[in-house]
Amino acid sequence: MDSLTGFLDRKACMREIDRLASQARQDETPLCVLWIGLDRFRQVNTSFGHEAGDNVLAMLAYRLKTQADPEAILGRIGGDEFVVILPRTPMPGAEIAADRIHRILQAPLEVGQVALRQACSIGLALLDLTERPLDVLERADRAMHDAKRAGGNQTAVAGEERITGRFGTELAREELAIEERLHEALENGGLALHYQPILNLADGSLEACEALMRCNSRGASIQPNQFIPVAEKTGLIIRLGEWTMLTAARLADHLIQIGRPTKIAVNVSRAQLTAPKFRQVLYGVLACSDVPPGLIELELTESLFMDTSETVRNNLAAAVEAGFPLAIDDFGTGYSCLAYLKDLPARKLKLDRAFVKGLPEDRKSFAIIRTITQLAADLGMTIVAEGVETDAQRDILAEAGVTALQGFLLSYPLPETELETWLATHY
Ligand code: C2E
Ligand code: CA
Ligand code: CA
């Protein structure tokens, strides 16, 4: 289905608004711009893979094309953002058109075994006859972000305020600055791994340590939640990932030397697994150290296990064949499908912090954890609960039957030397 044809790209949208704005001024008719952002669309990609995500986008676009106002001009302005331009549309007609788009997109859509109801946030702006044509687009964009911040699944109407900075440009500038600092850190030794112990609930023994990247540049640290997405976007994560694997393997080797063999868990991003050279990196780790592969665990999110692309499948198969254990990270943050669990080559499941946060009061989270835990245990998997901060959380997680815990209650992520001290006192 080639449903994205007929959608203007960003530049063409701008040209069209320019043209329609002059027309609107001449005729003194209103011009309405709707900026549509799909809510939490990243989760569709994370849960079902990018191919499924592309299909969903194509189907939603097809609905817009066939069911929206026939006079509407449609544009696609980003991966999951659309623009609908409505000539000669005043209020309240513009709001009615926005409501209609909410309904069109939210009709159930089958994705795998799930009926997806795609919510969206819409920013609505009416051209002010004295403003520059592009300002109306910016105001719609800004209103869309307001709608998102207010929880999504709604329309926000843009006020008349003029925009100073540009959303897209501002963001791009910020990301460029982070990228530059990451490069500097990589070259000047500003990168480090900290290690967070994961302990078995039953006997307090050490299950593994998760390696978490830290970045320091120009005397200040940047948080992983800021720099990892930038590294992923720019492809720099492939170099950072290689560095992480080798550094973790070197530590695992050292811990064997000092008589404290410890499994080190390493986070692996999508971009690393979609690169054909990932398998060379794995072999490189084995060639550069004497570490048995069983001591380097790879943490991957669910969608990677379900990815059907040949490279990802081959890379996963190579990891399994070489003997690296696999864990499912952040389980429960996407549209998790329990039925898939039985076929995955992972033997460990890490329950996302989101479930643990509301415990012990949140009975619904508890019920979900208990169900997942029972199923995973029946399938012979180990279940780790992430983000455990209190004794009460630990107790109720024990009741739910999870195998191991990770969180500030047990230990913060530690620099290498502190980890050694920690191991010395806990072994
Ligand atoms: P993650 O894989 O889910 O890692 C666990 C995160 O939870 C870490 O955040 C850890 O510091 C934090 N955490 C642990 N215990 C608690 C707790 O009790 N309470 C709370 N509130 N947080 C806790 P961090 O280090 O900021 O890393 C964030 C994310 O960045 C990681 O989430 C992971 O997705 C990514 N990341 C970190 N290092 C790497 C890396 O080397 N490679 C890749 N690809 N991603 C990485
Ligand atoms: Ca992780
Ligand atoms: Ca996690």
Side-chain angles (χ1 to χ4, degrees):
M1 192 179 0
D2 197 11
S3 23
L4 286 166
T5 49
F7 280 76
L8 305 176
D9 63 14
R10 185 183 283 264
K11 269 207 183 121
C13 261
M14 290 179 173
R15 276 199 302 271
E16 195 59 13
I17 287 184
D18 231 359
R19 186 183 73 77
L20 289 168
S22 334
Q23 182 94 52
R25 280 206 186 97
Q26 219 167 42
D27 308 345
E28 292 190 14
T29 51
L31 177 71
C32 166
V33 176
L34 302 177
W35 190 301
I36 306 165
L38 303 178
D39 290 343
R40 307 196 312 154
F41 191 74
R42 216 159 54 113
Q43 286 200 348
V44 174
N45 282 327
T46 332
S47 308
F48 302 108
H50 281 251
E51 206 178 307
D54 288 348
N55 284 337
V56 170
L57 271 179
M59 285 189 273
L60 295 176
Y62 181 75
R63 284 187 188 170
L64 279 179
K65 203 156 78 177
T66 50
Q67 298 174 39
D69 185 330
E71 270 216 62
I73 291 138
L74 304 173
R76 182 168 178 219
I77 213 131
D80 53 3
E81 296 187 3
F82 297 92
V83 160
V84 174
I85 310 167
L86 296 164
R88 290 174 292 281
T89 309
M91 292 291 215
E95 275 180 311
I96 294 170
D99 284 348
R100 204 176 130 99
I101 289 172
H102 281 292
R103 280 200 306 278
I104 292 173
L105 296 182
Q106 253 186 31
L109 187 80
E110 249 174 63
V111 190
Q113 293 155 2
V114 177
L116 179 76
R117 289 173 182 276
Q118 182 61 58
C120 69
S121 300
I122 301 183
L124 185 164
L126 288 175
L127 177 77
D128 173 323
L129 293 180
T130 61
E131 77 185 327
R132 286 180 313 154
L134 290 186
D135 288 343
V136 68
L137 196 63
E138 300 260 357
R139 287 193 298 118
D141 180 10
R142 191 124 104 173
M144 187 278 286
H145 281 90
D146 287 343
K148 278 216 163 147
R149 263 194 298 276
N153 197 14
Q154 56 191 284
T155 303
V157 180
E160 256 102 63
E161 75 285 1
R162 289 292 158 83
I163 315 306
T164 41
R166 286 247 152 112
F167 252 55
T169 342
E170 248 171 44
L171 191 66
R173 229 179 270 144
E174 224 175 271
E175 288 181 353
L176 272 177
I178 292 178
E179 190 188 348
E180 199 186 321
R181 291 178 62 186
L182 266 176
H183 274 288
E184 276 176 18
L186 193 62
E187 274 144 33
N188 306 332
L191 288 181
L193 291 181
H194 284 193
Y195 301 88
Q196 189 175 31
I198 301 170
L199 301 188
N200 281 306
L201 238 168
D203 57 3
S205 62
L206 186 63
E207 161 65 27
C209 285
E210 177 172 1
L212 294 159
M213 204 184 295
R214 298 292 177 255
C215 173
N216 228 297
S217 114
R218 298 178 212 162
S221 62
I222 327 173
Q223 295 308 308
N225 290 338
Q226 283 182 296
F227 71 75
I228 296 285
V230 174
E232 284 174 338
K233 233 184 206 173
T234 55
L236 193 58
I237 193 73
I238 297 188
R239 268 177 76 195
L240 295 182
E242 273 180 55
W243 174 86
T244 303
M245 293 271 240
L246 291 168
T247 308
R250 194 191 43 69
L251 173 71
D253 209 1
H254 170 68
L255 293 178
I256 294 175
Q257 307 299 327
I258 62 167
R260 303 190 193 289
T262 305
K263 192 194 285 172
I264 309 290
V266 176
N267 290 287
V268 181
S269 288
R270 165 171 294 276
Q272 292 172 261
L273 270 181
T274 50
K277 83 183 260 211
F278 183 69
R279 97 179 22 222
Q280 268 83 55
V281 177
L282 293 179
Y283 299 147
V285 165
L286 297 179
C288 297
S289 66
D290 291 328
V291 175
L295 284 185
I296 306 289
E297 186 165 69
L298 309 179
E299 292 195 2
L300 319 167
T301 51
E302 275 170 281
S303 69
L304 284 169
F305 288 103
M306 283 156 213
D307 200 298
T308 48
S309 83
E310 211 178 310
T311 316
V312 172
R313 295 205 152 257
N314 289 343
N315 280 334
L316 274 182
V320 172
E321 198 183 319
F324 292 94
L326 306 181
I328 311 174
D329 202 1
D330 305 334
F331 188 79
T333 49
Y335 291 91
S336 311
C337 181
L338 295 175
Y340 287 122
L341 281 182
K342 73 174 175 24
D343 302 318
L344 301 187
R347 303 272 31 100
K348 184 184 279 180
L349 187 156
K350 298 188 77 179
L351 275 172
D352 193 71
R353 182 161 82 235
F355 291 109
V356 176
K357 223 160 127 190
L359 295 180
E361 293 81 13
D362 183 352
R363 301 307 293 179
K364 286 187 183 159
S365 286
F366 177 72
I368 296 172
I369 294 178
R370 200 178 42 193
T371 306
I372 295 175
T373 300
Q374 273 168 7
L375 176 70
D378 287 346
L379 294 171
M381 302 178 87
T382 307
I383 303 98
V384 178
E386 300 188 302
V388 184
E389 296 182 350
T390 67
D391 287 328
Q393 287 174 340
R394 180 192 51 208
D395 295 345
I396 199 161
L397 286 163
E399 193 187 322
V402 309
T403 331
L405 303 178
Q406 176 179 7
F408 297 161
L409 176 70
L410 310 168
S411 170
Y412 288 98
L414 305 168
E416 195 174 318
T417 45
E418 284 180 39
L419 176 73
E420 275 191 46
T421 318
W422 189 94
L423 288 173
T425 42
H426 285 77
Y427 258 100

